Amino acid sequence: MSKLDGLKEELAYLKLWLGIMVVTGISLVAWLLTNIQSAWWLLLVSGFSGLFIIGSGSLAIHRQIEQKIREITEL
């Protein structure tokens, strides 16, 4: 497998995980908005913490995707 093909596969894999994280984040926001008044406070704190972690992870994956795109354009 050439280096270009390997980089394309890595890029596709990172995009898959970014999509999963975005969908999970959207679902978590929807749950938080729906249950903000009725949920136990610990669940809400956990939800907001999870949302922060998912957002940070999405940002990290986005930066890796940008790096892979730069590597591909340099070839």
Side-chain angles (χ1 to χ4, degrees):
M1 181 186 298
S2 69
K3 183 172 180 165
L4 179 61
D5 290 338
L7 287 172
K8 284 182 180 179
E9 287 297 320
E10 287 181 41
L11 183 61
Y13 189 65
L14 287 171
K15 289 188 325 188
L16 168 77
W17 280 109
L18 181 62
I20 289 171
M21 292 181 80
V22 167
V23 168
T24 304
I26 290 170
S27 300
L28 186 55
V29 166
W31 182 86
L32 285 168
L33 290 174
T34 303
N35 297 306
I36 193 85
Q37 294 180 350
S38 62
W40 187 39
W41 68 271
L42 189 57
L43 283 176
L44 293 174
V45 170
S46 299
F48 284 112
S49 299
L51 190 59
F52 178 74
I53 292 168
I54 289 171
S56 300
S58 296
L59 183 62
I61 290 177
H62 175 70
R63 288 184 178 161
Q64 288 180 356
I65 288 172
E66 286 179 334
Q67 180 185 5
K68 295 295 177 192
I69 290 172
R70 275 191 225 105
E71 287 180 36
I72 288 173
T73 57
E74 289 174 0
L75 290 179

